[in-house]
Amino acid sequence: MTSFDTSPQLNVWRALLALAVVFVMLATTGWTALRSHRAVTPLQASISSWEHGRIHGHHLPDPDASPARLARFFASLTAQERTHLAHRYPLAVGNMNGAPLALRYRANRLALTEQRKVELRRMHDNRLSLLGQHDAGRRMHRYESLLQKGRQVLAFDPEGSGRVAQVIGDLQRAERVSVVVPGVDTNLLTFQKTNRPYSAALGMAQSLYAAEQAASPTTRTAVIAWADYTAPAGLGIDSATAMRAAEGSLRLNAMLRGLPGTAPVSLFCHSYGSVVCGIAAPGLPRRVADIAVAASPGMRVSNASHLRTTAQVWAMRDATDWVQDVPYLELGGLGHGADPVSAAFGARVLSAQGAKGHAGYFEPGTESVRNFAEIGVGAYRSVHCAREENVCREGLSGASTSGRA
């Protein structure tokens, strides 16, 4: 049962209850949580060093220059010069949209190697509490995992809870690109999980990549597990507002503008990640063909047309997902707007059969991940809709790039 299927009176009571909970949280925790920050983060230090660097007697380009400008700069260098920059400014180059993919992967391996050494020292630092030493150990093991052979790290920032993005497949040669945008509690340590692996960003991307390969074996695909934004921690004020999503939307669009090639891109946005995608929508590059959301608390608009994007908008929600009980409203900056699976919203509503709850949409074998895969390879006619098949598929032309009918 969704909030749109209940009486108006019950919806009002839900809204009042939600606002009461929020006001209690505000009274007990304050508007913002205090966090300790280093004076200069490792990434900021690397970027600052880059900004003061030179090559052939000339200043290096602005690290915030357009991806096209930065791509031209790197193309003008020899392989040896590019390698030198990666070694001298690993975090800056590893996070630089427009830098060659292989160079970013190499730079991030260097940065991860250095940060692993930092955490290894912290593990044995007697000035830290046992909890601090334990946290250092967890981070050290995460870095070791990210350094395993074959892993392609597109972005990495060790500061705070940490950010990371990883590519699965050949992004340079891909005919279709998918980007997984995860939600609440996503950070460096939760980027991948041993238990319930498909509830974590990396597992979601790996499952989607395998499903795309099964859906269209002849289509060259790549999937990005994109945890390169600071997601809210838990279901608190941050997750009830759009602040984190607004920051994330800027980072998402910057990454998308820096992707190589011209292959169509599909966004798969889970839970709070759909808020990120909703805010990012008006600024998306035109190559973004699809925005597909699952378990969405809202996209900060009342109707899909208000996203102001040329991308097709898809939505799904499993019948057992608790998110259906959140009040779909926005009031004074709290809440995220209308329900994306409601008929009034205007998205193409997909079946999520087999998803089982809030975190099961990418579980292998579910109809939800199969539907995502069909979208990812452009086989739109093959998707299974939740209702009104003709409305869900109206105006779809199929998949010319995947060879699917």
PDB file of all heavy atoms in Angstrom, residues 347-371:
ATOM      1  N   ALA A 347       6.260   8.892 -14.432  1.00  0.00           N
ATOM      2  CA  ALA A 347       7.394   8.053 -14.831  1.00  0.00           C
ATOM      3  C   ALA A 347       6.880   6.754 -15.443  1.00  0.00           C
ATOM      4  O   ALA A 347       5.711   6.394 -15.281  1.00  0.00           O
ATOM      5  CB  ALA A 347       8.271   7.750 -13.619  1.00  0.00           C
ATOM      6  N   ARG A 348       7.738   6.050 -16.156  1.00  0.00           N
ATOM      7  CA  ARG A 348       7.410   4.717 -16.662  1.00  0.00           C
ATOM      8  C   ARG A 348       7.666   3.746 -15.512  1.00  0.00           C
ATOM      9  O   ARG A 348       8.802   3.598 -15.066  1.00  0.00           O
ATOM     10  CB  ARG A 348       8.280   4.376 -17.870  1.00  0.00           C
ATOM     11  CG  ARG A 348       8.114   5.366 -19.030  1.00  0.00           C
ATOM     12  CD  ARG A 348       9.129   5.069 -20.136  1.00  0.00           C
ATOM     13  NE  ARG A 348       9.115   6.094 -21.167  1.00  0.00           N
ATOM     14  CZ  ARG A 348       8.337   6.083 -22.243  1.00  0.00           C
ATOM     15  NH1 ARG A 348       7.511   5.067 -22.431  1.00  0.00           N
ATOM     16  NH2 ARG A 348       8.387   7.052 -23.129  1.00  0.00           N
ATOM     17  N   VAL A 349       6.627   3.086 -15.023  1.00  0.00           N
ATOM     18  CA  VAL A 349       6.732   2.275 -13.811  1.00  0.00           C
ATOM     19  C   VAL A 349       7.050   0.824 -14.156  1.00  0.00           C
ATOM     20  O   VAL A 349       6.315   0.165 -14.893  1.00  0.00           O
ATOM     21  CB  VAL A 349       5.442   2.369 -12.970  1.00  0.00           C
ATOM     22  CG1 VAL A 349       5.593   1.552 -11.686  1.00  0.00           C
ATOM     23  CG2 VAL A 349       5.135   3.829 -12.636  1.00  0.00           C
ATOM     24  N   LEU A 350       8.156   0.334 -13.604  1.00  0.00           N
ATOM     25  CA  LEU A 350       8.668  -0.996 -13.897  1.00  0.00           C
ATOM     26  C   LEU A 350       8.347  -1.987 -12.786  1.00  0.00           C
ATOM     27  O   LEU A 350       8.200  -1.609 -11.627  1.00  0.00           O
ATOM     28  CB  LEU A 350      10.193  -0.937 -14.059  1.00  0.00           C
ATOM     29  CG  LEU A 350      10.727  -0.062 -15.187  1.00  0.00           C
ATOM     30  CD1 LEU A 350      12.216   0.204 -14.980  1.00  0.00           C
ATOM     31  CD2 LEU A 350      10.491  -0.737 -16.526  1.00  0.00           C
ATOM     32  N   SER A 351       8.294  -3.250 -13.151  1.00  0.00           N
ATOM     33  CA  SER A 351       8.122  -4.301 -12.162  1.00  0.00           C
ATOM     34  C   SER A 351       9.406  -4.474 -11.358  1.00  0.00           C
ATOM     35  O   SER A 351      10.509  -4.428 -11.900  1.00  0.00           O
ATOM     36  CB  SER A 351       7.780  -5.623 -12.855  1.00  0.00           C
ATOM     37  OG  SER A 351       7.830  -6.691 -11.923  1.00  0.00           O
ATOM     38  N   ALA A 352       9.228  -4.682 -10.055  1.00  0.00           N
ATOM     39  CA  ALA A 352      10.367  -4.949  -9.168  1.00  0.00           C
ATOM     40  C   ALA A 352      10.199  -6.318  -8.504  1.00  0.00           C
ATOM     41  O   ALA A 352      10.712  -6.550  -7.407  1.00  0.00           O
ATOM     42  CB  ALA A 352      10.481  -3.865  -8.111  1.00  0.00           C
ATOM     43  N   GLN A 353       9.521  -7.209  -9.185  1.00  0.00           N
ATOM     44  CA  GLN A 353       9.228  -8.517  -8.599  1.00  0.00           C
ATOM     45  C   GLN A 353      10.504  -9.225  -8.153  1.00  0.00           C
ATOM     46  O   GLN A 353      11.483  -9.296  -8.895  1.00  0.00           O
ATOM     47  CB  GLN A 353       8.486  -9.386  -9.618  1.00  0.00           C
ATOM     48  CG  GLN A 353       8.002 -10.707  -9.061  1.00  0.00           C
ATOM     49  CD  GLN A 353       7.144 -11.475 -10.061  1.00  0.00           C
ATOM     50  OE1 GLN A 353       6.746 -10.934 -11.076  1.00  0.00           O
ATOM     51  NE2 GLN A 353       6.866 -12.729  -9.765  1.00  0.00           N
ATOM     52  N   GLY A 354      10.468  -9.735  -6.919  1.00  0.00           N
ATOM     53  CA  GLY A 354      11.612 -10.461  -6.378  1.00  0.00           C
ATOM     54  C   GLY A 354      12.580  -9.611  -5.593  1.00  0.00           C
ATOM     55  O   GLY A 354      13.501 -10.137  -4.965  1.00  0.00           O
ATOM     56  N   ALA A 355      12.393  -8.284  -5.607  1.00  0.00           N
ATOM     57  CA  ALA A 355      13.365  -7.399  -4.951  1.00  0.00           C
ATOM     58  C   ALA A 355      13.379  -7.582  -3.433  1.00  0.00           C
ATOM     59  O   ALA A 355      14.426  -7.473  -2.795  1.00  0.00           O
ATOM     60  CB  ALA A 355      13.079  -5.938  -5.298  1.00  0.00           C
ATOM     61  N   LYS A 356      12.240  -7.795  -2.819  1.00  0.00           N
ATOM     62  CA  LYS A 356      12.140  -8.083  -1.385  1.00  0.00           C
ATOM     63  C   LYS A 356      12.789  -7.010  -0.504  1.00  0.00           C
ATOM     64  O   LYS A 356      13.920  -7.153  -0.044  1.00  0.00           O
ATOM     65  CB  LYS A 356      12.746  -9.449  -1.061  1.00  0.00           C
ATOM     66  CG  LYS A 356      11.982 -10.609  -1.700  1.00  0.00           C
ATOM     67  CD  LYS A 356      12.580 -11.953  -1.338  1.00  0.00           C
ATOM     68  CE  LYS A 356      11.805 -13.072  -2.025  1.00  0.00           C
ATOM     69  NZ  LYS A 356      12.392 -14.414  -1.745  1.00  0.00           N
ATOM     70  N   GLY A 357      12.046  -5.937  -0.296  1.00  0.00           N
ATOM     71  CA  GLY A 357      12.501  -4.915   0.641  1.00  0.00           C
ATOM     72  C   GLY A 357      13.229  -3.760  -0.007  1.00  0.00           C
ATOM     73  O   GLY A 357      13.264  -3.612  -1.230  1.00  0.00           O
ATOM     74  N   HIS A 358      13.848  -2.958   0.835  1.00  0.00           N
ATOM     75  CA  HIS A 358      14.451  -1.703   0.388  1.00  0.00           C
ATOM     76  C   HIS A 358      15.797  -1.890  -0.308  1.00  0.00           C
ATOM     77  O   HIS A 358      16.169  -1.070  -1.142  1.00  0.00           O
ATOM     78  CB  HIS A 358      14.631  -0.777   1.603  1.00  0.00           C
ATOM     79  CG  HIS A 358      15.034   0.612   1.253  1.00  0.00           C
ATOM     80  ND1 HIS A 358      14.198   1.501   0.606  1.00  0.00           N
ATOM     81  CD2 HIS A 358      16.208   1.283   1.460  1.00  0.00           C
ATOM     82  CE1 HIS A 358      14.826   2.652   0.432  1.00  0.00           C
ATOM     83  NE2 HIS A 358      16.042   2.554   0.938  1.00  0.00           N
ATOM     84  N   ALA A 359      16.521  -2.953   0.023  1.00  0.00           N
ATOM     85  CA  ALA A 359      17.889  -3.103  -0.479  1.00  0.00           C
ATOM     86  C   ALA A 359      18.053  -4.257  -1.466  1.00  0.00           C
ATOM     87  O   ALA A 359      19.180  -4.625  -1.784  1.00  0.00           O
ATOM     88  CB  ALA A 359      18.851  -3.284   0.691  1.00  0.00           C
ATOM     89  N   GLY A 360      16.946  -4.811  -1.975  1.00  0.00           N
ATOM     90  CA  GLY A 360      17.056  -6.014  -2.797  1.00  0.00           C
ATOM     91  C   GLY A 360      16.941  -5.823  -4.295  1.00  0.00           C
ATOM     92  O   GLY A 360      16.855  -6.813  -5.038  1.00  0.00           O
ATOM     93  N   TYR A 361      16.955  -4.588  -4.772  1.00  0.00           N
ATOM     94  CA  TYR A 361      16.661  -4.331  -6.191  1.00  0.00           C
ATOM     95  C   TYR A 361      17.742  -4.832  -7.148  1.00  0.00           C
ATOM     96  O   TYR A 361      17.474  -5.042  -8.330  1.00  0.00           O
ATOM     97  CB  TYR A 361      16.430  -2.828  -6.405  1.00  0.00           C
ATOM     98  CG  TYR A 361      15.191  -2.330  -5.723  1.00  0.00           C
ATOM     99  CD1 TYR A 361      15.229  -1.877  -4.407  1.00  0.00           C
ATOM    100  CD2 TYR A 361      13.967  -2.324  -6.372  1.00  0.00           C
ATOM    101  CE1 TYR A 361      14.089  -1.433  -3.759  1.00  0.00           C
ATOM    102  CE2 TYR A 361      12.815  -1.881  -5.740  1.00  0.00           C
ATOM    103  CZ  TYR A 361      12.878  -1.439  -4.429  1.00  0.00           C
ATOM    104  OH  TYR A 361      11.744  -1.008  -3.793  1.00  0.00           O
ATOM    105  N   PHE A 362      18.958  -5.006  -6.662  1.00  0.00           N
ATOM    106  CA  PHE A 362      20.051  -5.450  -7.530  1.00  0.00           C
ATOM    107  C   PHE A 362      20.425  -6.916  -7.288  1.00  0.00           C
ATOM    108  O   PHE A 362      21.440  -7.377  -7.799  1.00  0.00           O
ATOM    109  CB  PHE A 362      21.279  -4.554  -7.352  1.00  0.00           C
ATOM    110  CG  PHE A 362      21.079  -3.159  -7.886  1.00  0.00           C
ATOM    111  CD1 PHE A 362      20.479  -2.181  -7.107  1.00  0.00           C
ATOM    112  CD2 PHE A 362      21.486  -2.828  -9.179  1.00  0.00           C
ATOM    113  CE1 PHE A 362      20.282  -0.896  -7.604  1.00  0.00           C
ATOM    114  CE2 PHE A 362      21.302  -1.549  -9.676  1.00  0.00           C
ATOM    115  CZ  PHE A 362      20.692  -0.577  -8.897  1.00  0.00           C
ATOM    116  N   GLU A 363      19.608  -7.628  -6.525  1.00  0.00           N
ATOM    117  CA  GLU A 363      19.866  -9.048  -6.290  1.00  0.00           C
ATOM    118  C   GLU A 363      19.783  -9.801  -7.623  1.00  0.00           C
ATOM    119  O   GLU A 363      18.824  -9.649  -8.374  1.00  0.00           O
ATOM    120  CB  GLU A 363      18.840  -9.628  -5.316  1.00  0.00           C
ATOM    121  CG  GLU A 363      19.040  -9.220  -3.878  1.00  0.00           C
ATOM    122  CD  GLU A 363      20.178  -9.973  -3.210  1.00  0.00           C
ATOM    123  OE1 GLU A 363      20.581 -11.037  -3.727  1.00  0.00           O
ATOM    124  OE2 GLU A 363      20.651  -9.488  -2.162  1.00  0.00           O
ATOM    125  N   PRO A 364      20.789 -10.627  -7.947  1.00  0.00           N
ATOM    126  CA  PRO A 364      20.747 -11.401  -9.189  1.00  0.00           C
ATOM    127  C   PRO A 364      19.476 -12.252  -9.260  1.00  0.00           C
ATOM    128  O   PRO A 364      19.023 -12.803  -8.253  1.00  0.00           O
ATOM    129  CB  PRO A 364      21.997 -12.282  -9.080  1.00  0.00           C
ATOM    130  CG  PRO A 364      22.925 -11.515  -8.198  1.00  0.00           C
ATOM    131  CD  PRO A 364      22.042 -10.840  -7.195  1.00  0.00           C
ATOM    132  N   GLY A 365      18.916 -12.316 -10.452  1.00  0.00           N
ATOM    133  CA  GLY A 365      17.725 -13.134 -10.659  1.00  0.00           C
ATOM    134  C   GLY A 365      16.417 -12.414 -10.445  1.00  0.00           C
ATOM    135  O   GLY A 365      15.360 -12.942 -10.795  1.00  0.00           O
ATOM    136  N   THR A 366      16.442 -11.208  -9.886  1.00  0.00           N
ATOM    137  CA  THR A 366      15.203 -10.459  -9.685  1.00  0.00           C
ATOM    138  C   THR A 366      14.781  -9.781 -10.980  1.00  0.00           C
ATOM    139  O   THR A 366      15.593  -9.488 -11.859  1.00  0.00           O
ATOM    140  CB  THR A 366      15.381  -9.381  -8.606  1.00  0.00           C
ATOM    141  OG1 THR A 366      16.458  -8.506  -8.989  1.00  0.00           O
ATOM    142  CG2 THR A 366      15.714  -9.997  -7.260  1.00  0.00           C
ATOM    143  N   GLU A 367      13.477  -9.551 -11.086  1.00  0.00           N
ATOM    144  CA  GLU A 367      12.984  -8.837 -12.254  1.00  0.00           C
ATOM    145  C   GLU A 367      13.439  -7.388 -12.239  1.00  0.00           C
ATOM    146  O   GLU A 367      13.593  -6.765 -13.291  1.00  0.00           O
ATOM    147  CB  GLU A 367      11.451  -8.914 -12.305  1.00  0.00           C
ATOM    148  CG  GLU A 367      10.893  -8.565 -13.675  1.00  0.00           C
ATOM    149  CD  GLU A 367       9.506  -9.140 -13.885  1.00  0.00           C
ATOM    150  OE1 GLU A 367       9.406 -10.306 -14.299  1.00  0.00           O
ATOM    151  OE2 GLU A 367       8.534  -8.409 -13.628  1.00  0.00           O
ATOM    152  N   SER A 368      13.696  -6.864 -11.050  1.00  0.00           N
ATOM    153  CA  SER A 368      14.147  -5.474 -10.944  1.00  0.00           C
ATOM    154  C   SER A 368      15.499  -5.294 -11.632  1.00  0.00           C
ATOM    155  O   SER A 368      15.672  -4.370 -12.451  1.00  0.00           O
ATOM    156  CB  SER A 368      14.223  -5.049  -9.480  1.00  0.00           C
ATOM    157  OG  SER A 368      14.934  -5.982  -8.699  1.00  0.00           O
ATOM    158  N   VAL A 369      16.466  -6.153 -11.343  1.00  0.00           N
ATOM    159  CA  VAL A 369      17.782  -5.983 -11.964  1.00  0.00           C
ATOM    160  C   VAL A 369      17.733  -6.359 -13.448  1.00  0.00           C
ATOM    161  O   VAL A 369      18.457  -5.769 -14.268  1.00  0.00           O
ATOM    162  CB  VAL A 369      18.877  -6.777 -11.211  1.00  0.00           C
ATOM    163  CG1 VAL A 369      18.881  -8.255 -11.578  1.00  0.00           C
ATOM    164  CG2 VAL A 369      20.248  -6.167 -11.486  1.00  0.00           C
ATOM    165  N   ARG A 370      16.860  -7.287 -13.833  1.00  0.00           N
ATOM    166  CA  ARG A 370      16.715  -7.596 -15.265  1.00  0.00           C
ATOM    167  C   ARG A 370      16.156  -6.392 -16.011  1.00  0.00           C
ATOM    168  O   ARG A 370      16.591  -6.082 -17.125  1.00  0.00           O
ATOM    169  CB  ARG A 370      15.825  -8.822 -15.460  1.00  0.00           C
ATOM    170  CG  ARG A 370      16.508 -10.149 -15.158  1.00  0.00           C
ATOM    171  CD  ARG A 370      15.726 -11.320 -15.733  1.00  0.00           C
ATOM    172  NE  ARG A 370      14.422 -11.472 -15.090  1.00  0.00           N
ATOM    173  CZ  ARG A 370      14.193 -12.237 -14.041  1.00  0.00           C
ATOM    174  NH1 ARG A 370      15.192 -12.928 -13.496  1.00  0.00           N
ATOM    175  NH2 ARG A 370      12.984 -12.335 -13.532  1.00  0.00           N
ATOM    176  N   ASN A 371      15.185  -5.726 -15.405  1.00  0.00           N
ATOM    177  CA  ASN A 371      14.644  -4.521 -16.040  1.00  0.00           C
ATOM    178  C   ASN A 371      15.703  -3.437 -16.167  1.00  0.00           C
ATOM    179  O   ASN A 371      15.815  -2.767 -17.198  1.00  0.00           O
ATOM    180  CB  ASN A 371      13.459  -3.997 -15.231  1.00  0.00           C
ATOM    181  CG  ASN A 371      12.147  -4.619 -15.648  1.00  0.00           C
ATOM    182  OD1 ASN A 371      11.977  -5.008 -16.798  1.00  0.00           O
ATOM    183  ND2 ASN A 371      11.213  -4.721 -14.717  1.00  0.00           N
TER     184      ASN A 371
END
